[in-house]
Amino acid sequence: MENVTTLESLVDLLAAKGLLAAAQIQEDVRVTGADSDSRVVRPGNVFVCKGAAFRTAYLASALEKGAVAYLCDSAHADDLMAAAPNVPRIVTTDEGFREAMGLVACEAWGHPDLDLPLLGITGTKGKSTCAYMVRAIVDAAYGDGRCGVMGSIDMYDGIENIESVNTTPEAPDLWRHIANARDSKLATVAMEVSSHGLKYNRVDGLHLAAGAFLNLGRDHISAAEHPDFEDYFASKLRIFGHTSVGVVNLETDRVEEVLAAAQVCQRVVRLSAQGRERPAGVADIWASDIQPELGCVHFVAHTPTWTGKVTISMPGLFNVDNALAAIALVAELGIGEEAVREGLAHVRVPGRMELIPTFDPKVIGLVDYAHNKLSFRRFFSSVAEEFPGKAVIALFGAPGCKAYERRAVLPQEAAKWADVLIYTEEDPAYDPVEEICAQMAEATPEGARYEVICDREEAIARSVELAFGFEQGAVVCLLAKGDETRQHRGSEFVPVESDPVLFERYVAQMKERLGA
C-alpha cells in the first residue's frame, strides 16, 4: 500500500519530536515534496521559509507554483502570516527549525533513499575525487549517466545537472535530488557528506548503503562553522550512524577512534594504500606496486574477490587512497574488476589534479581544489615526487568569513614545497581580498618568495610569466578554485573565467611573445 504523506502527518511527526510550535492546516491535504527555493517548487510541495536573505515574495512565488503550505520558525511566523493570512502553515520552535526542516523534507519526498542504494563519502580531502571515481566506475558498469553525483563540484540526479553551491545541500534540496534520482532509475548516487551536512541536520533520516571515511585534518574551524577541531571530528564521525557498511582508510589520523565509531555499522571494510598489514589492523582492500607516470598512476589492487593492475587516469599518488575507497563502495553494488579498471582508466574530475600541457614540455599547469592543510601537504608532496627537478609556483588564496586558520597554515605549508607563492582572490565573501592576502603574507615563513596580486586573472598571468623564466621548467599550481566559474563576493556569486581557461590564454600569449 502506498505511503501517503499529508500535512496532518507532518504536523504529527513534528509534535512527536517536540519541535512543533503551532499549525494551521487542512486535513487530508496530500504533500508531494518540500523545497526552500521558490524557483523549483512543484504543485503539492511544502515551501520551507529559511535563510537570512528570505523575503515574503519568495513565499508568494511558491504559492503561485502550487505549494500547499509553508514551514517556518516562530521568529518569522507573524510576518509570514500577515503576508499570507489564509495559507496553511506549520510553525516550529526556533531552536528546532533545522531539525524539523530535515524531518519534513525526508518525509515529504517519501524516503527515496529506501528505494535507491546511496554511497556516501566524508573526509577532509578527496571527497569529490572519490565521488567522481565511483561515478566513472558505475557508468562503466551500467552505462553513461546511470550514476548521480552530489558534492562540491556539481549536482546530477538524472533530471537536474547544475553547479553546486554547498557540498552537501540543505535538506529540501538534498531530498529532492535523491527523489529525482529514484524517479530517473539511476543505479546509485555518489554523495559527498560534509561535516556541516552532518552537524546541521541536512542528512537527518538519510540511509546509505555504504559510507566511507577517507581521512582527517584540520579545517572549517571558526565561529561560523565548527568551534574547535573536536566538534569537526565528531561531526564527521556521524556518517557511520547513517550507513550499513562503513569503509575506513587505515591511514587516517585518529584511526582507532574512527574504527570504534564505525562499529555501529553492520559491517566495516578497511582499506590501505600502504599494504595489507598496518598498525591499525589488517586491510580488506589494499594497494601494492604503486607507480606514478606523467598524467596517471598505476597500482595493483587487492580485494576479497579479485586482484589486478589498475590505472588511474590522473596524477597524484594520494589518489590511490581515493580509488581504493571507490572500489570498496561500488563493491556494495556488486561491481567488480572489469568496470573498476574501465572506469578508473578514464576518470576525469573537473579541477582535480587536472594537467594542462603547454607548447614547452618543461612548463605545465596543474589545477586542483586543494584548499586546506592536509590537501596542501598531499598535493605538494605528490608534485615533488611526480615532477622532480621542476620549479613549483603555487597560486592560491583563502576564503572570507570562514576557515580563518587557512590564512596562516596554507602559506606555511606551501612554503615548504614551492619556489614562488602568489596570494590572490578566493571567494572573499564580505572580507576585503587585500586584508586576506595581507594576513597570508604576514604568515609566510621568513625567506620564502611570495607576491600579492589580488586580481586572480592578473595573478594567473604573472604565474605564466614566472614559469617560463625558470630554466629547469616549472609546474604552475592553480589551487582551490578548480574549474569553478564564480567568485563569492559579498552576497553574490559573480561569474568569472575558470583557472584553466585563463592559464591557457596567457600561455598562448606567451607563445606568441616568444615566437615559439
Side-chain angles (χ1 to χ4, degrees):
M1 182 177 180
E2 184 182 7
N3 183 25
V4 176
T5 301
T6 64
L7 290 178
E8 186 177 13
S9 67
L10 293 178
V11 169
D12 291 344
L13 172 65
L14 296 185
K17 297 288 186 178
L19 303 173
L20 185 69
Q24 174 184 301
I25 64 168
Q26 298 171 338
E27 295 183 1
D28 299 326
V29 174
R30 183 169 181 172
V31 173
T32 58
D35 266 306
S36 57
D37 185 341
S38 60
R39 295 169 296 183
V40 298
V41 166
R42 307 170 189 172
N45 282 184
V46 171
F47 184 61
V48 181
C49 304
K50 65 169 285 293
F54 180 81
R55 295 182 298 187
T56 54
Y58 299 151
L59 174 57
S61 177
L63 294 171
E64 288 177 2
K65 292 182 178 179
V68 295
Y70 66 88
L71 176 77
C72 70
D73 58 13
S74 297
H76 296 89
D78 290 343
D79 289 343
L80 289 168
M81 185 168 64
N86 299 314
V87 175
R89 64 187 185 131
I90 303 173
V91 183
T92 76
T93 60
D94 289 335
E95 63 277 8
F97 179 70
R98 293 200 64 86
E99 182 180 355
M101 180 170 63
L103 291 171
V104 165
C106 175
E107 189 76 14
W109 285 108
H111 294 272
D113 54 324
L114 302 181
D115 301 317
L116 180 70
L118 303 175
L119 304 176
I121 306 148
T122 200
T124 303
K125 171 182 169 53
K127 296 186 295 297
S128 295
T129 298
C130 184
Y132 268 77
M133 288 177 170
V134 168
R135 183 183 196 177
I137 296 168
V138 172
D139 283 354
Y142 296 112
D144 290 346
R146 293 298 310 285
C147 182
V149 65
M150 191 183 301
S152 57
I153 300 176
D154 61 10
M155 205 73 56
Y156 168 69
D157 60 19
I159 296 175
E160 299 179 50
N161 191 1
I162 56 177
E163 189 171 325
S164 298
V165 176
N166 295 318
T167 299
T168 303
E170 289 284 10
D173 295 321
L174 179 142
W175 287 105
R176 182 182 76 254
H177 289 308
I178 297 174
N180 284 347
R182 173 198 60 195
D183 297 343
S184 300
K185 301 189 185 306
L186 298 189
T188 186
V189 176
M191 294 179 55
E192 297 181 47
V193 187
S194 69
S195 59
H196 293 109
L198 289 157
K199 178 178 179 177
Y200 293 112
N201 307 104
R202 296 179 190 172
V203 297
D204 281 9
L206 181 71
H207 176 261
L208 302 169
F213 193 107
L214 299 179
N215 46 55
L216 179 67
R218 291 185 67 87
D219 200 17
H220 297 294
I221 312 300
S222 74
E225 301 168 288
H226 299 280
D228 53 42
F229 179 72
E230 294 306 316
D231 183 76
Y232 172 69
F233 182 31
S235 297
K236 285 200 167 294
L237 291 178
R238 292 181 186 178
I239 191 173
F240 296 120
H242 294 274
T243 184
S244 297
V245 178
V247 177
V248 177
N249 182 0
L250 293 179
E251 309 312 319
T252 183
D253 286 352
R254 298 177 66 165
V255 64
E256 297 293 351
E257 293 168 75
V258 177
L259 287 169
Q263 295 308 305
V264 300
C265 302
Q266 296 174 13
R267 183 162 53 87
V268 178
V269 177
R270 299 162 176 81
L271 58 89
S272 172
Q274 306 298 322
R276 187 181 187 190
E277 303 284 343
R278 303 303 298 152
V282 177
D284 304 293
I285 298 175
W286 73 98
S288 65
D289 305 297
I290 300 172
Q291 296 292 332
E293 187 179 339
L294 183 63
C296 62
V297 180
H298 311 285
F299 69 96
V300 174
H302 304 260
T303 82
T305 58
W306 60 271
T307 296
K309 187 175 181 179
V310 174
T311 296
I312 307 171
S313 60
M314 55 192 299
L317 295 173
F318 52 81
N319 278 321
V320 176
D321 296 74
N322 298 324
L324 292 176
I327 291 169
L329 291 169
V330 300
E332 299 308 314
L333 305 180
I335 297 175
E337 180 177 5
E338 183 177 352
V340 166
R341 288 167 56 89
E342 174 70 16
L344 293 179
H346 296 95
V347 66
R348 179 185 174 271
V349 186
R352 290 287 197 272
M353 294 303 286
E354 189 172 341
L355 282 173
I356 308 177
T358 73
F359 63 91
D360 183 343
K362 293 195 302 183
V363 176
I364 195 165
L366 189 56
V367 178
D368 194 76
Y369 274 102
H371 62 278
N372 55 46
K373 184 177 181 179
L374 177 60
S375 60
F376 264 42
R377 184 186 307 141
R378 293 192 172 191
F379 173 87
F380 285 116
S381 62
S382 189
V383 168
E385 185 164 350
E386 295 182 62
F387 303 95
K390 291 187 183 295
V392 176
I393 300 168
L395 182 151
F396 59 95
C401 304
K402 65 177 184 179
Y404 298 104
E405 284 185 340
R406 295 183 196 169
R407 302 180 191 185
V409 300
L410 296 189
Q412 292 164 6
E413 185 63 35
K416 300 174 184 177
W417 309 92
D419 297 273
V420 184
L421 310 176
I422 300 178
Y423 303 137
T424 191
E425 181 181 32
E426 183 203 318
D427 295 322
Y430 293 96
D431 289 346
V433 179
E434 295 81 3
E435 178 182 301
I436 296 172
C437 289
Q439 292 173 9
M440 298 177 77
E442 185 178 355
T444 305
E446 185 176 354
R449 180 182 174 185
Y450 73 89
E451 297 182 18
V452 172
I453 305 175
C454 294
D455 183 277
R456 195 170 182 102
E457 180 173 349
E458 293 179 11
I460 292 174
R462 174 60 173 161
S463 72
V464 171
E465 180 182 23
L466 288 170
F468 284 90
F470 285 99
E471 290 186 6
Q472 72 272 38
V475 182
V476 179
C477 306
L478 306 174
L479 303 177
K481 291 295 290 179
D483 279 4
E484 290 180 6
T485 56
R486 298 181 299 176
Q487 281 280 5
H488 185 188
R489 298 170 183 159
S491 61
E492 298 182 347
F493 289 85
V494 180
V496 296
E497 292 182 287
S498 69
D499 286 1
V501 167
L502 292 171
F503 180 78
E504 290 182 334
R505 174 184 302 159
Y506 288 106
V507 166
Q509 292 182 12
M510 179 62 68
K511 181 180 181 180
E512 184 176 348
R513 185 193 313 174
L514 297 176

